[in-house]
Amino acid sequence: MSTTTVTPEPPHVLAVDDSIVDRAVISRLLRSSKYRVTTVDSGKRALEVLSLDGDNVHMIITDYCMPEMSGYELLKRVKESTELREIPVVLMSSENSPPRIRRCLEEGAEEFLIKPVRASDLSRLCSRLITTLR
Amino acid sequence: MRNLRLNSDSRRAARGDRAGALIRTGRILSRLGYLDEQFCQVEDLQDEASPNFAEEVATLFFKDSARLISNVEQALEKYPKDFNRWDAYMQQLKGSCSSIGASRMKSECMSFRDYCGQGNVEGCMRSFHKVKREHGALRQKLEAYFQLLRQAGPAGAATRPGM
C-alpha cells in the first residue's frame, strides 16, 4: 500500500489566468479547500514564480487561452524543464475542443477542466494529485 | 429554466418584508435568466472569512467587463471587418460572463461571435448593442440585489435566496 505524503503546510497551488474575475474565483475555490494559492496573470509571471520558488509549488492550474503565452505553451515549458517537470499541470478552458484537450494531455497535462470550474472539479482533482507530491 | 434552490422559499418568505423583497429579487433574476447556476456557485464560496465574496466578484466583473466592452467598441471602429480581432475580444468578455453566471449577457456574446463567424457586420453591430444593454441591465439588478442583502444584514445573509 502506498503511503500518503503528509505535508506540514497546506499544498501550494500556482493559478495562472489573464482574467481577473477567474483569478478571484479560482483562488477562492482553492482557498476554501484550504490550499495556499498564488495567482498570476500570465505564463511569463508563472515561470518567474517557478524559477524562484518551484520547489514549493505542488500544482499548477492554468487557463488555456492567454495572450502572449498560452497555457499550452506554459505546460510545454514546465514539462521540458528538469526542475519543474514533476509538477502536475492542469489546464482550464471555456472552449470544449477535443483536439485541444488531446494535445494538452499528450503534452503531459494531468487534466483539462472546462470552465466555469466547479468546487467539485477541484476537490476531486486536488485530492487525487496532491497526495502524490514529489 | 432550472429550479435553482427555490424549494425553501416558503420558509424564508415567512421571515418578513426585507427577506421577502430579497427572495423576489433573486427569483426574478433567476427566472428572467439574468443569472444561472454559476452565480450560486460563487455565492456558495462565501463564508465567515469572505462574507462578501459574491459582491466582490461582481464588482471585479463590472469593472473588467466595462474595459472589455470598450475594447470591442474600439475594435469595431478602428478595424472594420476584422472579424478575428472582434471575435478574440468578445471571447474574453464571454469568458467573464460565464465565470459569474451572467447568462443573458453571455448569450448575446455568443450571438456576436456567431455573426463574426458568418462575416456579418450588421449582425455584429446589433448583437454588440444587445451585449451592452444586457450589461447595463445586469449591473442595475445586481446592485439592487446586493443593496438589499446589505440592508437585510446578518439575518438577510441567512435567508439569502438560492438563485
Side-chain angles (χ1 to χ4, degrees):
Chain A
M1 184 175 313
S2 63
T3 51
T4 300
T5 309
V6 177
T7 46
E9 279 183 317
H12 180 211
V13 180
L14 176 62
V16 192
D17 202 313
D18 61 313
S19 160
I20 192 171
V21 175
D22 288 352
R23 285 200 301 279
V25 175
I26 202 93
S27 97
R28 184 86 266 279
L29 270 171
L30 287 163
R31 290 198 171 106
S32 67
S33 301
K34 311 291 181 231
Y35 299 111
R36 286 178 297 139
V37 189
T38 298
T39 55
V40 293
D41 63 2
S42 68
K44 184 174 160 203
R45 292 256 159 79
L47 290 171
E48 283 168 15
V49 169
L50 290 165
S51 69
L52 292 170
D53 202 25
D55 283 348
N56 192 27
V57 172
H58 305 119
M59 185 174 89
I60 299 165
I61 183 162
T62 178
D63 190 24
Y64 183 95
C65 285
M66 296 188 291
E68 291 169 19
M69 187 188 296
S70 71
Y72 176 72
E73 282 152 8
L74 175 62
L75 166 68
K76 278 177 49 170
R77 298 279 288 266
V78 168
K79 294 303 166 185
E80 281 162 7
S81 152
T82 39
E83 294 90 17
L84 304 175
R85 68 161 65 115
E86 297 301 317
I87 305 175
V89 182
V90 173
L91 277 285
M92 306 178 279
S93 176
S94 52
E95 314 274 332
N96 188 345
S97 154
R100 175 184 289 185
I101 296 171
R102 209 162 30 240
R103 215 160 51 120
C104 290
L105 296 175
E106 281 165 9
E107 201 62 45
E110 290 299 327
E111 183 130 3
F112 196 106
L113 300 175
I114 303 301
K115 283 179 165 182
V117 172
R118 300 287 177 93
S120 52
D121 296 327
L122 275 188
S123 62
R124 192 193 70 227
L125 179 69
C126 289
S127 59
R128 197 183 88 216
L129 289 182
I130 288 178
T131 51
T132 57
L133 285 173
R134 61 194 177 122
Chain B
M1 177 65 59
R2 285 172 63 194
N3 189 359
L4 302 173
R5 294 193 279 132
L6 299 174
N7 52 358
S8 46
D9 271 354
S10 52
R11 280 181 273 130
R12 290 177 181 140
R15 286 183 211 163
D17 281 351
R18 281 204 178 125
L22 205 55
I23 290 156
R24 286 191 289 280
T25 307
R27 287 178 74 162
I28 288 167
L29 288 179
S30 160
R31 291 246 174 88
L32 292 176
Y34 282 102
L35 294 166
D36 64 25
E37 174 64 25
Q38 178 59 18
F39 188 73
C40 300
Q41 294 273 326
V42 171
E43 283 195 307
D44 280 349
L45 291 174
Q46 292 184 154
D47 61 15
E48 279 145 18
S50 299
N52 302 310
F53 181 68
E55 189 172 2
E56 288 161 11
V57 174
T59 304
L60 280 175
F61 169 75
F62 284 112
K63 197 167 149 191
D64 198 50
S65 55
R67 179 185 65 90
L68 295 171
I69 284 172
S70 167
N71 286 349
V72 175
E73 193 131 48
Q74 284 175 33
L76 291 173
E77 266 177 70
K78 281 197 211 162
Y79 303 101
K81 295 198 181 175
D82 190 344
F83 297 106
N84 286 338
R85 187 188 295 262
W86 297 359
D87 181 77
Y89 281 129
M90 187 53 78
Q91 184 184 19
Q92 292 186 306
L93 183 58
K94 183 206 140 202
S96 262
C97 291
S98 186
S99 299
I100 199 178
S103 48
R104 277 172 67 132
M105 197 177 150
K106 177 176 149 186
S107 167
E108 296 303 341
C109 292
M110 285 164 68
S111 282
F112 181 94
R113 296 188 72 199
D114 285 342
Y115 285 122
C116 285
Q118 295 163 24
N120 182 339
V121 172
E122 203 191 290
C124 286
M125 297 300 177
R126 267 198 325 262
S127 55
F128 181 57
H129 180 75
K130 288 182 184 171
V131 167
K132 288 195 286 188
R133 198 182 60 197
E134 289 301 335
H135 183 246
L138 181 64
R139 189 202 289 265
Q140 236 180 11
K141 307 275 184 280
L142 271 177
E143 275 172 5
Y145 175 67
F146 288 122
Q147 173 140 39
L148 274 173
L149 273 178
R150 278 195 293 273
Q151 285 171 357
T159 59
R160 175 178 57 80
M163 299 187 71

